[in-house]
Amino acid sequence: MFGEEAHAVGAEGVQKAKRWLEATTRVDVQWIYPEEAARKKLAFQWHDNSSFVYDMGGVFRGGPLANQTFMAEVKNYSTVGKQGPMYEEYLARCYRARQEIPGFTEQFMWITWHPFSQGSWTKLTTAEAVRDAVIKYAPKALGVDVDEATSAVDDTVCAEVAETLWLLVLSDKHELLMLSDLDRAAVISAQITRAGA
């Protein structure tokens, strides 16, 4: 895929992920990049003054995650592609975002339609994986050279990020299991009524 085609596939993936997340009735996707309202919410600064953005973000409803925010990266891939290296940079982004605005970056999601790095899948959401990624991207994530990164990385932040990472692998067939808009509206109405009681 090239240029516009890749962009269209990515935008379609964000919309599919939004529909799926909201169909759970536990998530309210409030910001989608590049919509105007999302630009300030989803954009963050690296130490080298370049920036990065998440594809979407929002707030959890009810349960133990009630009112917590999330930032999500969406990969509408039908093959592995370059997800392994992209995910490493994503981990460094999450670390940097947590450092930059800790109260606003409470949960982080990577949403894809194709698994990747299967040989290390069980380690992809560990503090060690976050730490390794931060060290690899030290000039951007920490503002220091790679050789100084080991002493500059904050292991507490690595652990915080690891605890809030979500790896979601979706399928087009997931859409067959989603609540209809009408059913979702009934559930949300019941949630609101219960909360007000």
Side-chain angles (χ1 to χ4, degrees):
M1 282 184 289
F2 299 97
E4 286 185 26
E5 184 183 358
H7 179 72
V9 169
E12 178 189 353
V14 169
Q15 289 302 318
K16 289 191 322 186
K18 176 185 186 299
R19 283 193 306 272
W20 185 84
L21 287 170
E22 289 186 337
T24 68
T25 71
R26 298 296 304 280
V27 174
D28 183 12
V29 176
Q30 297 180 344
W31 314 292
I32 295 178
Y33 194 83
E35 293 173 0
E36 188 63 36
R39 292 180 187 206
K40 291 183 180 177
K41 304 283 189 197
L42 301 177
F44 296 86
Q45 290 288 131
W46 286 115
H47 273 286
D48 67 0
N49 291 322
S50 62
S51 61
F52 61 90
V53 296
Y54 291 94
D55 291 322
M56 66 181 177
V59 178
F60 284 91
R61 298 173 190 233
L65 298 176
N67 301 316
Q68 286 193 27
T69 60
F70 72 90
M71 304 290 141
E73 188 72 17
V74 180
K75 299 297 177 197
N76 189 14
Y77 285 18
S78 57
T79 64
V80 171
K82 297 179 180 176
Q83 285 189 85
M86 293 165 111
Y87 181 75
E88 285 181 317
E89 183 178 354
Y90 167 78
L91 293 179
R93 288 177 175 198
C94 294
Y95 176 95
R96 178 66 187 136
R98 176 60 61 89
Q99 276 201 317
E100 192 176 348
I101 311 176
F104 187 66
T105 52
E106 296 171 297
Q107 302 286 325
F108 298 99
M109 295 181 182
W110 179 275
I111 303 169
T112 184
W113 276 257
H114 200 288
F116 62 97
S117 301
Q118 288 96 333
S120 57
W121 184 261
T122 59
K123 298 176 183 172
L124 293 178
T125 59
T126 63
E128 293 75 28
V130 176
R131 187 176 206 282
D132 291 346
V134 170
I135 289 171
K136 182 174 181 177
Y137 289 92
K140 288 182 166 190
L142 299 170
V144 300
D145 291 331
V146 173
D147 56 343
E148 301 171 58
T150 304
S151 59
V153 67
D154 185 333
D155 288 326
T156 301
V157 176
C158 291
E160 288 173 2
V161 169
E163 288 176 20
T164 62
L165 287 171
W166 299 60
L167 271 178
L168 302 174
V169 180
L170 301 182
S171 145
D172 288 337
K173 289 195 174 183
H174 274 101
E175 294 190 37
L176 300 174
L177 301 175
M178 294 182 343
L179 289 173
S180 70
D181 289 344
L182 190 59
D183 290 339
R184 186 164 55 92
V187 171
I188 292 170
S189 176
Q191 289 172 333
I192 293 168
T193 301
R194 193 170 47 243

